Amino acid sequence: MAEQVETLRRTPLSRDRVLHAAVALADEAGIESLSMRKLAQELGVVPMALYKHVANKDELLDGMIDVVVGEIDPPVSDADWQPVVRRRILSAREALLRHPWAPIAIEARNQATPAILGYLNSMVGILRERGGFSTDLAHHVMHAMGSRMLGFSQELFDDSRRAGRSGPADPEPPAGFPPEAAAAFPHLAAIAGAAAHDDASVVGPGCDDQFEFEFALDLLLDGVERLRQQGWTST
Amino acid sequence: MAEQVETLRRTPLSRDRVLHAAVALADEAGIESLSMRKLAQELGVVPMALYKHVANKDELLDGMIDVVVGEIDPPVSDADWQPVVRRRILSAREALLRHPWAPIAIEARNQATPAILGYLNSMVGILRERGGFSTDLAHHVMHAMGSRMLGFSQELFDDSRRAGRSGPADPEPPAGFPPEAAAAFPHLAAIAGAAAHDDASVVGPGCDDQFEFEFALDLLLDGVERLRQQGWTST
DNA sequence: TTGACAGGTGTACGCCGTACACCTACCGTA
DNA sequence: TACGGTAGGTGTACGGCGTACACCTGTCAA
């Protein structure tokens, strides 16, 4: 009878419940101590039950990332590109501060999740549509602000990370920008397309990371030099 | 006899040999598949032998990070601050590209290693001595360029990361800047000291992360707006 | 000659992710 | 009303992980 009560009381699992419980657990105990077993215990369930809702731990982490990205406010409506971008980035920062494990988790994955691609895509859209940026400038700006936007490395997602021994058995292409995603993220596709002009592969790295890095670095250095020349001295 | 030959042939372990073997293993197989056991096997030794040279896996990772940081070229001598900083950052980028696991490893640790502190300290030194930057401006610039300098998150090392359940038993202070390190990294100490003026704790977070974030963000946004107004259109 | 000590070994424990077979409660259909 | 499929929770088991702890062995100073 007690068992029956317990059974009745327990809300059934769902992907959403699993994901949110995982986020809560990572928030309070740190990502490195999040395990399938502890998560299951938290949910009052046996570890293997989780696998009916997420394929494996990596997919769980992807889902957790998407929960965090989902907390970023949508763009406000405003005439100017600058305040829109600014507010959105500050909102992203707040989400990441609420979940300090998120940048690590994001950086440790080698593929952007759809939610991240959506976020980045909408950022490009703001630049293009609200600011009238050219495709190329929008591209460079995305590289320059990448670390502000998501709190992590400038080499957003390249395939050289995680050099695996998967070796020659890997059947899929480098997949810098899979064609099926182009429809969902048109702005990103435009950027990738423009950058791939002077380069054999249509997908794949497709942009000159070294150039992008130096572009962003020089933008920063020039800004700093301007401050310095203004005799900038105090807070 | 064969055993004797093998014994003679084997160079004895050393912390350095362990560290470099670990770096090589992470370079080719990825950080996520680096284990004490595999590393031991690579060195022709039993796993526990490693523990005579590194305290545990975390310390191994710290040592690996220091190996990478040690590959960054020292500052060149040049009259101007800008090319010195530029070249050093590009050198750091090269080191990180050689070891793509490094940013992840660095970001996953919550305390900067001495080698990283030394690198950052010398960067501040360049700004102060070669560029005549005020302490405050140098401070802001370090925040603004943090992600370029080390390829990772802007919140360099704050204690809110990795919210552990270590709880109230933790005897040491927040340790934003431990006093014994001040002597070794005078420029960093100066920055931390200046920032702590309007704030009760002398050590500890000691700087307004939100302000720094917005400062860097606005520097970037202003630079971008300037490009846009110049009608910047193509690569 | 001895005895301390640096450094490599072997065993064992508890935790991890997850494959696989199983059970059970529910629901649409006959 | 009976039944078969299916969604979802269970139990067991395996191989890999980090590392505590006791042990052995070769070297070298006294």
Side-chain angles (χ1 to χ4, degrees):
Chain A
M1 201 173 47
E3 291 172 8
Q4 197 182 13
V5 169
E6 194 189 321
T7 304
L8 290 175
R9 176 166 301 155
R10 197 162 68 207
T11 349
L13 241 44
S14 72
R15 183 177 163 89
D16 226 63
R17 234 162 76 73
V18 169
L19 256 32
H20 281 86
V23 167
L25 210 58
D27 285 349
E28 71 191 36
I31 190 79
E32 76 285 347
S33 77
L34 169 69
S35 72
M36 298 301 273
R37 293 167 127 100
K38 285 185 197 151
L39 177 56
Q41 192 174 13
E42 195 77 11
L43 289 162
V45 112
V46 97
M48 286 311 292
L50 302 175
Y51 290 85
K52 293 284 152 94
H53 302 276
V54 295
N56 50 48
K57 193 177 181 182
D58 277 359
E59 215 224 42
L60 174 75
L61 289 169
D62 282 352
M64 293 168 65
I65 291 170
D66 285 356
V67 167
V68 174
V69 174
E71 290 180 7
I72 301 173
D73 292 335
V76 299
S77 55
D78 191 306
D80 236 18
W81 73 273
Q82 208 162 345
V84 181
V85 169
R86 190 175 197 280
R87 290 186 58 167
R88 195 112 195 272
I89 289 181
L90 290 177
S91 167
R93 172 174 152 85
E94 281 164 27
L96 294 175
L97 287 179
R98 278 194 296 273
H99 310 290
W101 47 269
I104 296 161
I106 292 172
E107 190 163 12
R109 311 218 59 60
N110 50 0
Q111 284 284 350
T113 67
I116 289 179
L117 289 176
Y119 169 66
L120 296 176
N121 183 71
S122 105
M123 279 294 197
V124 181
I126 295 167
L127 297 175
R128 301 276 287 124
E129 289 160 9
R130 307 275 245 280
F133 287 61
S134 73
T135 304
D136 282 343
L137 182 54
H139 184 175
H140 301 326
V141 169
M142 290 301 289
H143 276 270
M145 310 217 307
S147 70
R148 296 288 145 193
M149 287 180 185
L150 281 169
F152 62 94
S153 166
Q154 64 279 11
E155 309 293 336
L156 295 183
F157 299 99
D158 70 10
D159 307 301
S160 65
R161 301 295 276 278
R162 237 178 215 245
R165 69 267 117 120
S166 57
D170 197 348
E172 54 196 354
F177 207 87
E180 71 273 17
F185 311 113
H187 294 298
L188 295 182
I191 274 178
H197 281 165
D198 43 34
D199 165 298
S201 67
V202 178
V203 298
C207 82
D208 183 343
D209 283 331
Q210 183 70 26
F211 174 84
E212 298 300 342
F213 186 91
E214 296 191 25
F215 182 94
L217 177 56
D218 290 335
L219 184 61
L220 225 30
L221 289 174
D222 289 349
V224 169
E225 175 63 12
R226 201 169 296 114
L227 289 179
R228 195 183 70 94
Q229 283 173 1
Q230 289 164 8
W232 205 100
T233 56
S234 135
T235 309
Chain B
M1 199 170 52
E3 292 172 8
Q4 198 183 13
V5 169
E6 195 189 319
T7 304
L8 289 175
R9 176 164 301 154
R10 197 162 68 206
T11 347
L13 242 44
S14 72
R15 184 177 161 88
D16 227 63
R17 234 163 74 75
V18 169
L19 257 31
H20 281 87
V23 167
L25 210 58
D27 284 349
E28 70 191 36
I31 191 77
E32 76 285 348
S33 76
L34 169 69
S35 73
M36 299 300 273
R37 293 168 127 100
K38 284 186 198 152
L39 176 56
Q41 191 174 12
E42 196 75 11
L43 288 163
V45 112
V46 96
M48 287 310 293
L50 301 175
Y51 289 85
K52 292 283 150 83
H53 303 276
V54 295
N56 49 48
K57 193 177 180 182
D58 276 0
E59 215 224 44
L60 174 75
L61 288 170
D62 282 351
M64 292 170 65
I65 291 169
D66 285 356
V67 168
V68 174
V69 174
E71 291 180 8
I72 300 173
D73 292 335
V76 299
S77 55
D78 190 305
D80 235 18
W81 72 275
Q82 208 162 345
V84 182
V85 169
R86 190 177 197 278
R87 289 185 58 168
R88 196 113 195 273
I89 289 182
L90 290 177
S91 168
R93 171 175 153 85
E94 281 163 26
L96 293 175
L97 286 180
R98 278 194 295 275
H99 311 290
W101 47 269
I104 296 162
I106 292 172
E107 189 164 12
R109 310 218 59 59
N110 50 358
Q111 284 285 350
T113 67
I116 288 178
L117 289 176
Y119 168 66
L120 296 176
N121 183 70
S122 107
M123 279 294 197
V124 181
I126 294 167
L127 297 176
R128 300 275 287 126
E129 289 159 9
R130 307 276 244 281
F133 287 61
S134 73
T135 304
D136 281 344
L137 181 55
H139 185 175
H140 301 324
V141 169
M142 291 301 289
H143 276 270
M145 308 217 308
S147 70
R148 296 288 145 192
M149 287 181 184
L150 281 170
F152 63 92
S153 165
Q154 63 279 11
E155 310 293 336
L156 296 183
F157 300 99
D158 69 11
D159 307 301
S160 63
R161 302 294 277 275
R162 240 179 211 245
R165 70 268 112 130
S166 57
D170 197 350
E172 55 195 355
F177 207 86
E180 72 272 17
F185 311 111
H187 295 297
L188 294 181
I191 274 179
H197 280 166
D198 42 35
D199 165 299
S201 68
V202 177
V203 298
C207 84
D208 183 343
D209 283 332
Q210 183 71 26
F211 174 85
E212 298 299 344
F213 186 92
E214 296 190 27
F215 182 94
L217 177 57
D218 290 335
L219 184 61
L220 224 31
L221 289 174
D222 288 350
V224 169
E225 175 63 12
R226 202 171 295 113
L227 290 179
R228 197 183 69 94
Q229 282 171 1
Q230 288 164 8
W232 205 100
T233 55
S234 135
T235 311

